């Protein structure tokens, strides 16, 4: 999977992504990262990238032309055109389903705005989709681009040690992951549920399934509205919750 990021701050992207798990994936060549500086595509000699907004208002807006030229420089043939995303607080909010969808693309280009953003005409011309990482406003799109790259990368083959690492976790299947524990089995008077020490795989799996439903019920009850919970599961959840 290839990521291109069009930004005024390529180092911010590289510093974030070329660390830890995503950094190793870049080194192994499982993902590639091409962070390009929009400023290098300025059409004026003095490197001016932005101007005031027509109609008034505060802040500066990045011109269409350098963004368009930067994006066009990524590919020659139409078939190599990357799936192009503009990150902005106006986009649809990123979730696990969207991250999975993006992980199936061969090449994703993320365009980051700064200041007041980018002239809307170039966004309408080249972007397939606008994505936000939450209902709040950041100073620029760079952190949002990194969040998208991170959440998408971890679902690409070879990034995590095995597929289990991302299939059995929160937001996959519409529920949160069950609580997890490590040594010691009793810490500060809090004991790990006996079943997890039993070695009985079937019982452990059943415990985790119900514990995951309880976790969701306690922390994100809104998520339970979107999945089917049977009467028998509710009974087991109630029983487990009474023991907490
Ligand atoms: N740029 C500024 N705020 C943003 C947000 N919430 N999501 C994505 N990009 C942004």
């Amino acid at each position: 999977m290839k990521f291109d990021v069009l930004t005024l701050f390529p180092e911010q992207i590289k510093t974030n992504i070329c660390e830890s798990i995503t950094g190793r994936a870049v080194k192994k060549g499982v993902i590639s990262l091409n962070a390009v500086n929009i400023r290098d595509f300025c059409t004026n000699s003095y490197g001016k990238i932005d101007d005031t907004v027509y109609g008034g208002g505060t802040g500066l807006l990045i011109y269409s032309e350098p963004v368009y030229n930067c994006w066009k420089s990524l590919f020659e043939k139409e078939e190599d055109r990357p799936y192009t995303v503009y990150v902005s607080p106006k986009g649809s909010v990123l979730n696990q389903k969207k991250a999975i969808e993006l992980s199936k693309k061969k090449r994703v280009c993320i365009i980051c705005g700064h200041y007041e953003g980018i002239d809307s005409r170039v966004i309408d011309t080249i972007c397939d989709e606008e994505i936000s990482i939450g209902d709040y406003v950041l100073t620029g799109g760079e952190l949002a681009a990194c969040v998208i790259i991170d959440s998408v990368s971890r679902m690409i083959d070879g990034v995590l040690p095995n597929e289990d690492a991302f299939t059995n976790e929160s937001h996959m299947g519409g529920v949160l992951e069950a609580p997890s524990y490590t040594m010691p089995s009793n810490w500060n008077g809090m004991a790990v549920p006996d079943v997890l020490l039993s070695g009985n795989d079937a019982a452990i799996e059943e415990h985790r399934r119900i514990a995951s439903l309880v976790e969701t019920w306690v922390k994100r009850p809104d998520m339970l509205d979107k999945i089917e919970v049977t009467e028998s599961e509710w009974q087991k959840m109630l029983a487990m919750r009474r023991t907490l």
Side-chain angles (χ1 to χ4, degrees), residues 87-90 113 131-142 144-145:
V87 278
S88 110
K90 290 200 260 178
I131 297 180
S132 163
I133 60 159
D135 291 340
Y136 44 80
V137 182
L138 302 165
T139 54
E142 285 70 19

Side-chain angles (χ1 to χ4, degrees), residues 178-179 181 193 195-196 203-218 232-244:
Y181 315 94
V195 60
L196 296 179
I204 291 172
E205 194 181 318
E206 172 65 1
H207 169 86
R208 287 211 171 115
R209 196 175 65 81
I210 301 301
S212 141
L213 286 168
V214 171
E215 189 81 336
T216 313
W217 186 18
V218 172
S232 120
E233 283 169 335
W234 274 117
Q235 293 305 328
K236 291 177 191 161
M237 287 158 67
L238 271 167
M240 189 180 282
R241 209 170 162 177
R242 271 190 224 110
T243 67
L244 295 178

Side-chain angles (χ1 to χ4, degrees), residues 5-228:
V5 183
L6 273 49
T7 168
L8 292 176
F9 302 94
E11 290 310 314
Q12 194 181 349
I13 306 289
K14 288 188 234 166
T15 306
N16 265 290
I17 301 303
C18 295
E19 275 291 335
S20 181
I21 294 175
T22 47
R24 284 198 290 277
V26 171
K27 275 207 189 104
K28 278 200 286 179
V30 184
I31 60 171
S32 81
L33 175 68
N34 173 36
V36 194
N37 197 332
I38 300 169
R39 201 179 289 280
D40 295 343
F41 292 80
C42 250
T43 40
N44 54 61
S45 55
Y46 40 96
K48 188 168 155 61
I49 197 81
D50 50 19
D51 218 322
T52 51
V53 183
Y54 278 130
T58 49
L60 298 168
L61 212 53
I62 300 172
Y63 299 133
S64 292
E65 203 57 14
V67 176
Y68 186 68
N69 291 340
C70 186
W71 179 76
K72 282 295 279 179
S73 78
L74 298 176
F75 61 101
E76 275 169 14
K77 292 181 273 159
E78 185 53 29
E79 58 263 37
D80 298 328
R81 178 191 187 282
Y83 188 79
T84 305
V85 171
Y86 177 48
V87 278
S88 110
K90 290 200 260 178
S92 44
V93 179
L94 181 69
N95 57 22
Q96 194 72 2
K97 183 162 168 263
K98 175 57 67 185
I100 294 171
E101 209 179 293
L102 291 175
S103 73
K104 307 219 162 94
K105 310 263 180 220
K106 272 201 337 234
R107 186 176 184 186
V108 173
C109 168
I110 305 176
I111 302 181
C112 306
H114 226 85
Y115 318 117
E116 280 307 294
I118 299 177
D119 189 307
S120 298
R121 292 167 295 183
V122 69
I123 299 305
D124 293 345
T125 307
I126 66 180
C127 292
D128 297 296
E129 171 162 26
E130 199 161 330
I131 297 180
S132 163
I133 60 159
D135 291 340
Y136 44 80
V137 182
L138 302 165
T139 54
E142 285 70 19
L143 290 173
C146 292
V147 167
I148 294 176
I149 295 171
D150 190 296
S151 64
V152 170
S153 296
R154 55 199 303 290
M155 269 162 314
I156 293 167
D157 250 9
V159 173
L160 294 182
N162 53 53
E163 201 173 295
D164 232 34
F166 66 83
T167 49
N168 285 331
E169 69 183 0
S170 296
H171 296 287
M172 300 297 279
V175 286
L176 302 181
E177 192 180 10
S180 36
Y181 315 94
T182 186
M183 305 273 255
S185 61
N186 192 314
W187 179 78
N188 264 4
M190 290 174 274
V192 170
D194 286 340
V195 60
L196 296 179
L197 313 175
S198 70
N200 180 338
D201 289 342
I204 291 172
E205 194 181 318
E206 172 65 1
H207 169 86
R208 287 211 171 115
R209 196 175 65 81
I210 301 301
S212 141
L213 286 168
V214 171
E215 189 81 336
T216 313
W217 186 18
V218 172
K219 295 187 176 168
R220 286 289 304 274
D222 57 299
M223 288 172 71
L224 285 191
D225 297 341
K226 299 186 191 106
I227 59 161
E228 182 104 35

